[in-house]
Every structure is written in C-alpha cells, then in structure tokens.
Amino acid sequence: MVTRRQAREWALMFLTSFDLNPQENADSALAAFWEQQEELERERVASGERVKKAFCSVDVAVRASLEEMKTFAESRVKGVCAQRRELDARIEAHLKNWKLYRLGTVERNVLRLGAWELLNCADVPSPIVINESVDIAKYFSETKSGRFVNGVLDNLAKEIANQKGAGEWTPAK
C-alpha cells in the first residue's frame, strides 16, 4: 500500500524540482513527474532491486491506494503553488535573521508543504503535520534541518491556533 508519507515525499520532490526549474504549467509538469516516477520504479524493478511496487503493481488494492495517494500529493502540490506568496510570507515571519530565499531548496519546500497543511487541513492535527515535515526534512536533507523545520512550523502552528481562538482565521476551501 502507498502511504501518506510517500505522497508527501512525492509532493516535496515535485515542489523542489518545480522550485529549481519553474514552468508555466504546473499540471503538465505534474503529469511528467508521475511518468518519471513510474519509469524510475520500472528501472529499479528491472535491475532486480527490491522495491515496494506501486506504479508497477497489478494488485487492485495497491493500485487504488496509489491513485488515492497521487490525489493526496497533487492536492498539496496545487495548494502550495496556488498559495505560494501567502505561505512564503507566513513562513518568513517566523524566520529569525533569515530570508526564505537563503534556505536550502529542500527546507524551503518542506516548510511550504507543512505550512500549507497547517493552514488548510483541519483534519490533520498540527503535531502530525510537524512530525511528518521534520522526518521528511531529515530524510531529504540533514538532521539539523529537522530541528529548524520543527521550530518554524511549531511557531506557525501556535500563531494559527491563536488566530483560530480569536476568530481571525478560517481555512481555505
């Protein structure tokens, strides 16, 4: 089965690539991304590497979970792309003596993804969003990145909670 963690990793991979190589049409870039992921899996399977098959699986349940998690990843990608300026401003407000453009590409996009989920996914508790973001940052970057991401997203989560309590904030639909 494909997990939400894998979907978040795919979303991060796409966002990082898109950040480094901006294109005018995110939808066509997303279609190319999925084709590339499928081809990479085929190559790994053909080389004899032990791979948890998703794209190449014939199992109906695995294919269903793949489609569900592709939709999950795409919702995050499209949400981050649509709200990028707002997300960047919210994140930068919590960076002490830093600017967003100075961050590593992985860290910048993990923060965007985590911030988007904190702001738009009321069904996902903030500790889960933060934990997933920290783990993904550590996996794709380095251990220190996890602490940094944790601090920024924790502060953002507290700000959002305070705004909710004051009636100032409502999640985007």
Side-chain angles (χ1 to χ4, degrees), residues 25-94:
N25 188 343
D27 289 333
S28 64
L30 203 48
F33 173 80
W34 292 124
E35 288 174 20
Q36 180 185 38
Q37 293 306 307
E38 186 172 349
E39 183 60 33
L40 288 171
E41 185 176 292
R42 278 196 192 107
E43 287 174 8
R44 291 173 67 199
V45 168
S47 73
E49 188 176 335
R50 288 191 63 192
V51 176
K52 194 167 128 181
K53 294 180 187 176
F55 292 93
C56 300
S57 179
V58 293
D59 185 322
V60 175
V62 172
R63 295 296 296 179
S65 76
L66 171 64
E67 291 307 314
E68 182 181 344
M69 290 304 109
K70 281 173 68 175
T71 301
F72 182 88
E74 287 180 5
S75 70
R76 273 123 185 94
V77 165
K78 291 176 182 179
V80 169
C81 289
Q83 297 177 5
R84 186 169 161 176
R85 288 181 195 256
E86 176 192 346
L87 294 171
D88 288 356
R90 298 289 293 259
I91 293 165
E92 203 159 78
H94 296 282

Side-chain angles (χ1 to χ4, degrees), residues 2-12 14-15 30 33-34 55 63-81 113-114 116-118 120-125 128-130 132-133 136:
V2 182
T3 64
R4 284 185 169 195
R5 166 64 64 88
Q6 179 62 56
R8 285 183 177 99
E9 289 176 3
W10 284 330
L12 174 65
F14 178 83
L15 290 169
L30 203 48
F33 173 80
W34 292 124
F55 292 93
R63 295 296 296 179
S65 76
L66 171 64
E67 291 307 314
E68 182 181 344
M69 290 304 109
K70 281 173 68 175
T71 301
F72 182 88
E74 287 180 5
S75 70
R76 273 123 185 94
V77 165
K78 291 176 182 179
V80 169
C81 289
L113 185 58
W116 185 85
E117 284 195 279
L118 287 172
N120 296 283
C121 300
D123 61 321
V124 183
I128 291 175
V129 171
I130 294 168
E132 288 283 294
S133 299
I136 290 170

Side-chain angles (χ1 to χ4, degrees), residues 113-160:
L113 185 58
W116 185 85
E117 284 195 279
L118 287 172
L119 289 163
N120 296 283
C121 300
D123 61 321
V124 183
S126 60
I128 291 175
V129 171
I130 294 168
N131 187 58
E132 288 283 294
S133 299
V134 166
D135 287 348
I136 290 170
K138 289 193 296 191
Y139 180 77
F140 283 97
S141 189
E142 62 176 311
T143 305
K144 292 178 186 177
S145 296
R147 289 187 299 199
F148 177 75
V149 166
N150 183 61
V152 174
L153 291 180
D154 186 54
N155 287 336
L156 179 59
K158 288 174 184 171
E159 175 191 313
I160 293 167

Side-chain angles (χ1 to χ4, degrees), residues 17-24 84:
S17 174
F18 199 70
D19 195 14
L20 293 171
N21 304 296
Q23 299 174 25
E24 288 192 27
R84 186 169 161 176

